[in-house]
Amino acid sequence: WAVPGRPPGIVIPGSHNPERDNGVKLVDCDGGMLPVAWERHAEALANAPGWETMRAAIATMRTPAEAHLPKHAHPPAHAANPPPPHVFLARDTRPTGPALAAAAKAGAEAIGASVTDLGLMTTPQLHYVVYASHRGWPSAEADYFARLARGFRRMVAGIPGPSSANDDDERRSIVVDCANGVGAAKLAALADAVGPSSRRDVSSMDLRNVGGEPGSLNERVGADFVQKERRAPAHGGFEALGPSRRCVSVDGDADRLVYFRAKSDDDGFAELLDGDKIAALVATRVTDLLERCAPSNAFDPPLRVGVVQTAYANGASTAYVRDVLGVDVACANTGVKFLHPVAETFDVGVYFEANGHGTAVFSDATIERLDAAIERLDAGADGGLVGSAEHSTDAVAALRELKAMTEAINPAVGDALSGILVVEAVLLAKGWGLTEWGNMYADLPSRQVKVTVRDRSVISVTDSERVAVTPDGMQAAVDEAVGRHGAPARAFARPSGTEDVVRVYAEAATEAGAAELAREVCGIVYDFAGGVGDRP
């Protein structure tokens, strides 16, 4: 987990789960999530019934790293004579946090590590602290806020405020559901760092659900609730807001975000702009900016931009990114720990799960190329020999906005705070509200359901969890059901990672078709995988 001379991190969160649930997230020394290869070691230690088993697990961990653990490619090189082990520690607002953090600190100190206790932080903040420390950058909380605020201000520099025609509540104001979590205080601090603006005023966000009664954390509020239920938060007065108000919901530890607004038909549901829509928006702006650079030949060869999705991404979003934007689409297994490494294979990799957890990753080489292109084309804008001054001036402005985006977004992991800044900046740059954003594409009707089975392990999957390998014959039956519904129908079934259920996802051209296809696939899973209870 820890590389000599490069401190990792521990954060005591429960993420989007109820307040009574506790968890520990381990942050790798490069600021990313714990590599999948380490998980079996963490599980072996956590489940060790006694000292001898624990010693055996530790002995396995200490075998040469080349045998079973990934290498870290991020600079700088590890110190030749590293200092003693060092760990960064943070926690969220759960009442159990102080005791669990104290236990984590005692455990780290017991094996000779020094601990920097950062107190209350969002999970993405702790990731950024480790990321910045690994690279030798300033890594205090104030540095995190300063980086994001600076990036936002530079993204919107030179963009005029809303015109009188667009000067409405939906474009000017933002109401934030903070899920009664740690994000409330951190959003307020971020708004102070951004400062007042004559443009879209993120410095005066209307923060709601900022910390209520015991047990209120994530209780029918937060991004997970809004995304799954497609309803506004049950608390915070959101039911009184009309469709002209732009709303965003973050989860309890502020690593997820989804935008929403009330529907005009007042049916109790919200119009949702989820992670798929956020990824499409960010990718749209990246391609916009690169197109403005193309006449000046800013990048040769061109930057390779990609959007990474999971099997749960709505098919309409995939078609928009691939067919309208002309951007490569890759698919990965469910979970940011799988998405982020695939995003790193692109020059610019964008990923957001449907639940709103994601970010945009710019490679180090890409940032170097950005800086070089700005310097080269800036000379042309000043009357040098590089292309026309008009093209160079516009290209430099586009490149500077793209560079600013690399600062406004958290490079280490999905971060709701930085996500809000980037979304707001892009909407402002394009002159869009939620209506224009939502009109990029219309989601295909879909259903997500689960089937209880005796043993979920009888189902194995491949192709980023979209194809079942076992039991024999199950995938053929699913394919036959999908075929009966015609294009653009699709469906898949994957075993849950935490409980004996199989999760089924289905899409079709109509709501009735999606519901029927989901029912048919649930029946197939029940028959092939040993369903429990009544057949769907």
Side-chain angles (χ1 to χ4, degrees):
W1 173 36
V3 174
R6 303 297 169 199
I10 303 172
V11 59
I12 311 293
S15 190
H16 56 277
N17 297 313
E19 186 173 299
R20 62 181 178 275
D21 292 345
N22 300 286
V24 175
K25 290 185 179 179
L26 304 179
V27 180
D28 198 29
C29 66
D30 63 0
M33 301 184 75
L34 188 72
V36 176
W38 273 104
E39 289 186 1
R40 65 179 182 276
H41 299 300
E43 291 171 358
L45 283 171
N47 295 316
W51 288 111
E52 290 304 318
T53 310
M54 182 174 288
R55 289 191 186 98
I58 293 173
T60 301
M61 292 172 61
R62 295 180 66 183
T63 57
E66 290 76 13
H68 57 276
L69 296 179
K71 298 179 181 179
H72 295 85
H74 293 297
H78 304 141
N81 296 301
H86 178 207
V87 177
F88 290 108
L89 173 66
R91 59 182 173 85
D92 69 4
T93 55
R94 282 175 169 75
T96 49
L100 290 174
K105 182 178 181 181
E109 291 175 340
I111 59 172
S114 62
V115 178
T116 298
D117 189 347
L118 297 168
L120 290 173
M121 269 192 168
T122 71
T123 297
Q125 280 186 297
L126 194 278
H127 276 271
Y128 180 79
V129 167
V130 178
Y131 176 92
S133 173
H134 181 76
R135 290 166 173 258
W137 297 351
S139 58
E141 184 177 44
D143 299 309
Y144 163 88
F145 287 130
R147 176 188 168 98
L148 267 57
R150 181 175 62 248
F152 173 79
R153 288 194 298 267
R154 289 176 176 173
M155 282 187 74
V156 302
I159 299 173
S163 67
S164 58
N166 293 334
D167 191 9
D168 54 38
D169 284 343
E170 195 265 305
R171 281 178 165 81
R172 182 173 290 279
S173 62
I174 179 172
V175 185
V176 186
D177 162 34
C178 300
N180 295 311
V182 66
K186 304 307 180 182
L187 270 168
L190 179 60
D192 289 342
V194 169
S197 170
S198 61
R199 302 171 185 88
R200 189 171 305 220
D201 197 356
V202 299
S203 67
S204 59
M205 292 181 284
D206 181 355
L207 304 181
R208 304 189 180 188
N209 296 323
V210 298
E213 297 297 320
S216 62
L217 177 65
N218 293 322
E219 181 59 34
R220 295 180 61 79
V221 294
D224 193 59
F225 173 82
V226 173
Q227 190 258 336
K228 288 183 176 177
E229 301 296 328
R230 294 184 174 268
R231 292 182 179 276
H235 308 290
F238 287 88
E239 71 283 351
L241 300 179
S244 67
R245 299 303 299 274
R246 192 172 75 262
C247 304
V248 61
S249 182
V250 307
D251 68 335
D253 68 341
D255 60 4
R256 302 179 180 190
L257 76 156
V258 294
Y259 274 71
F260 67 95
R261 64 177 174 181
K263 283 187 174 182
S264 56
D265 55 14
D266 195 29
D267 61 359
F269 289 92
E271 179 185 348
L272 180 68
L273 294 105
D274 62 5
D276 290 345
K277 281 276 171 63
I278 296 172
L281 180 70
V282 174
T284 296
R285 190 56 182 167
V286 170
T287 57
D288 287 346
L289 296 173
L290 291 178
E291 285 175 4
R292 287 167 55 188
C293 301
S296 298
N297 197 28
F299 298 106
D300 185 17
L303 294 181
R304 184 166 176 253
V305 180
V307 172
V308 188
Q309 300 182 325
T310 71
Y312 288 102
N314 193 275
S317 72
T318 306
Y320 174 82
V321 172
R322 182 190 61 226
D323 302 334
V324 177
L325 298 183
V327 168
D328 290 341
V329 178
C331 192
N333 285 3
T334 302
V336 170
K337 63 185 178 183
F338 296 110
L339 289 156
H340 196 98
V342 178
E344 289 181 318
T345 66
F346 293 95
D347 296 323
V348 182
V350 180
Y351 72 88
F352 281 85
E353 293 188 286
N355 60 29
H357 196 182
T359 189
V361 181
F362 295 77
S363 71
D364 292 327
T366 296
I367 294 175
E368 290 175 1
R369 292 180 69 188
L370 266 171
D371 290 336
I374 291 171
E375 182 178 358
R376 178 169 57 86
L377 295 181
D378 215 5
D382 290 337
L385 300 178
V386 184
S388 73
E390 182 181 353
H391 282 158
S392 293
T393 299
D394 186 57
V396 168
L399 289 168
R400 284 179 173 155
E401 183 181 334
L402 197 59
K403 178 64 184 293
M405 186 185 291
T406 72
E407 293 188 322
I409 202 157
N410 190 330
V413 75
D415 184 343
L417 276 63
S418 72
I420 290 173
L421 292 187
V422 171
V423 167
E424 292 299 309
V426 172
L427 292 178
L428 182 60
K430 294 186 72 66
W432 282 5
L434 298 192
T435 299
E436 294 86 351
W437 181 12
N439 286 343
M440 286 194 304
Y441 62 84
D443 281 331
L444 290 169
S446 65
R447 294 290 186 277
Q448 292 187 47
V449 291
K450 58 185 181 180
V451 182
T452 303
V453 296
R454 287 190 295 271
D455 179 8
R456 68 184 186 275
S457 67
V458 302
I459 295 181
S460 60
V461 293
T462 189
D463 190 21
S464 301
E465 304 174 313
R466 294 175 291 188
V467 175
V469 177
T470 59
D472 289 342
M474 191 179 92
Q475 185 60 48
V478 172
D479 291 342
E480 183 179 348
V482 170
R484 288 194 296 269
H485 287 265
R490 70 182 183 99
F492 64 88
R494 56 176 287 270
S496 167
T498 57
E499 53 185 327
D500 274 327
V501 300
V502 176
R503 304 191 186 280
V504 170
Y505 179 88
E507 278 180 12
T510 65
E511 293 288 351
E516 177 60 19
L517 179 57
R519 187 193 65 77
E520 292 176 19
V521 175
C522 285
I524 292 168
V525 170
Y526 182 96
D527 294 339
F528 279 86
V532 175
D534 295 334
R535 187 180 189 278

